[in-house]
Amino acid sequence: MVMRLVMKTGRNVEKLKESLTIVQEYLGDVLDISKTTIIEADVKNATSIADMCKRARLILNCVGPYKFYGEVVVTACVENGTHHVDLSGEMKYLETMQAKHFKSAREKGVYIVEACGFDSIPADFGISVLKKKFPGDLNSVEYFVEVGQGPSGRSTNIGTFLSAVHSVTDFFNIKEYERELKKDVFKKDLVKSNYSLSWRSLLAKYPSFFSAGAFSTEGPTRQQVMEGTTTVTLLAKGWKNKLSEPTDQHTTPPDTQMKLTINGPEPAYSLTAKCMVQAGVTIIQDTDKLPLEGGVLTPGVAFENTDLLQRLEKSGIAFKFENIN
């Protein structure tokens, strides 16, 4: 199947045109994107978002913080039968979308797959593939991430920073959100505090200062991205022998281990882009291998029985499985 890039959206039309020109210079004769259609859609204008979704089979939504800009896109995708992939790591947003849109997405045969960036594809999907490879019964998985940088250092755009800033208070209300998710009812603005609004405003205004240069409004240079690396390690522990009945329980401590090491490029831009794009391609090309005929899902659930692993490997992300015992 030959796939062509036919549409592109972004926060600013002129900057998007400039970006396309820059990317074309790097692509050379490999691919001509000069005639790429640009669609203007404003999250404050639901009609424009709906019009965009009507013209697409799949939306790759990179516009965060998602708690402010995400739901209008998800709603339009579900209503217009368009699949959707995002990069959100915002806990409250993720659970809210699942509670509010799972049933309607499934009824429409639409897949809303959340958290498809570097922080979730290796973790959530990695556990799914590790479980399949594990020789016996899996008991637990420990997860480690190592981010490497080259001589040029490292910097991340403020968008990622703001998503983290506006999600901090969510982590203090985990059980409250879980209760609401179970009831399929989520109340807006569960946490309100003048103090929290005050420090969040300061963090948003001076990201470079409060993060010691790790985040900035300018983001990283191309050289910084090219030099960066990511190593994700998942250490699985369990038993060599599988129980004969699902209701049985092991009576001895875990006796075997398996390690999965995932090596890839710089996390926030290069690795995330590869993960997100390959997740989107998988939804389009492996639709018959996805579960439940639709719904709001995590990568591990959505892609467990697809060819996502092979696609990620072809894009330059290495998966290495090792039996420890």
Side-chain angles (χ1 to χ4, degrees):
M1 179 184 293
V2 177
M3 300 187 67
R4 288 180 57 86
L5 178 65
V6 295
M7 297 185 290
K8 188 74 175 178
T9 60
R11 295 179 191 267
N12 182 293
V13 173
E14 293 307 315
K15 287 184 178 180
L16 182 54
K17 290 179 179 178
E18 181 181 335
S19 296
L20 289 173
T21 301
I22 294 172
V23 173
Q24 184 64 72
E25 293 175 357
Y26 287 116
L27 289 172
D29 297 330
V30 175
L31 180 68
D32 182 9
I33 62 172
S34 61
K35 295 182 175 60
T36 297
T37 301
I38 294 177
I39 298 174
E40 292 190 56
D42 188 342
V43 292
K44 295 180 180 179
N45 183 341
T47 300
S48 71
I49 298 295
D51 289 342
M52 174 185 69
C53 293
K54 290 175 183 177
R55 300 177 63 177
R57 291 180 62 192
L58 170 78
I59 298 294
L60 301 181
N61 187 358
C62 307
V63 183
Y66 290 92
K67 70 184 297 180
F68 300 130
Y69 310 124
E71 185 170 6
V72 64
V73 184
V74 171
T75 300
C77 282
V78 173
E79 291 177 350
N80 292 283
T82 307
H83 303 304
H84 176 280
V85 169
D86 69 38
L87 300 170
S88 179
E90 303 162 35
M91 180 180 62
K92 180 185 175 183
Y93 171 79
L94 296 174
E95 294 189 345
T96 301
M97 292 305 97
Q98 189 169 47
K100 294 179 69 172
H101 299 285
F102 179 85
K103 182 179 180 181
S104 56
R106 189 174 181 185
E107 291 173 347
K108 288 269 192 168
V110 170
Y111 287 99
I112 308 295
V113 186
E114 305 179 299
C116 288
F118 87 92
D119 50 348
S120 300
I121 289 279
D124 196 44
F125 176 67
I127 291 175
S128 290
V129 297
L130 189 56
K131 183 179 179 181
K132 282 189 171 184
K133 291 277 188 178
F134 200 78
D137 284 336
L138 181 63
N139 178 64
S140 62
V141 178
E142 295 180 80
Y143 177 80
F144 308 89
V145 180
E146 181 180 354
V147 177
Q149 64 185 45
S152 303
R154 181 165 57 92
S155 178
T156 304
N157 187 273
I158 189 175
T160 303
F161 181 74
L162 291 178
S163 292
V165 167
H166 290 292
S167 296
V168 169
T169 50
D170 296 344
F171 287 94
F172 295 99
N173 297 274
I174 293 175
K175 293 192 178 298
E176 183 174 3
Y177 299 147
E178 289 178 345
R179 287 195 299 268
E180 295 298 327
L181 179 60
K182 291 178 181 179
K183 292 189 298 181
D184 285 345
V185 176
F186 275 74
K187 298 177 182 179
K188 295 183 179 179
D189 301 323
L190 289 175
V191 179
K192 290 185 178 180
S193 166
N194 290 331
Y195 172 74
S196 66
L197 289 175
S198 176
W199 65 254
R200 279 186 283 182
S201 297
L202 284 171
L203 289 171
K205 189 173 183 179
Y206 304 107
S208 182
F209 176 81
F210 284 105
S211 64
F215 295 89
S216 71
T217 55
E218 292 81 17
T221 65
R222 178 176 174 79
Q223 186 66 25
Q224 287 176 325
V225 172
M226 296 297 289
E227 292 173 354
T229 61
T230 308
T231 300
V232 174
T233 304
L234 292 91
L235 181 61
K237 297 180 181 180
W239 295 270
K240 291 180 181 178
N241 299 319
K242 286 182 175 289
L243 294 171
S244 56
E245 298 293 334
T247 55
D248 291 344
Q249 292 187 356
H250 288 278
T251 58
T252 60
D255 55 18
T256 191
Q257 299 182 75
M258 173 176 277
K259 182 171 73 171
L260 167 59
T261 305
I262 306 173
N263 286 302
E266 182 278 335
Y269 296 88
S270 185
L271 180 55
T272 285
K274 290 175 183 288
C275 289
M276 186 182 212
V277 169
Q278 296 308 322
V281 172
T282 299
I283 290 175
I284 296 298
Q285 296 190 352
D286 290 357
T287 308
D288 60 332
K289 299 178 181 178
L290 300 177
L292 303 176
E293 294 82 44
V296 182
L297 309 172
T298 68
V301 174
F303 302 127
E304 183 175 7
N305 298 312
T306 69
D307 295 330
L308 177 59
L309 175 61
Q310 292 79 2
R311 291 190 173 94
L312 291 173
E313 289 182 322
K314 287 181 180 179
S315 72
I317 302 171
F319 287 72
K320 181 181 179 181
F321 297 87
E322 299 174 87
N323 288 312
I324 305 299
N325 293 357

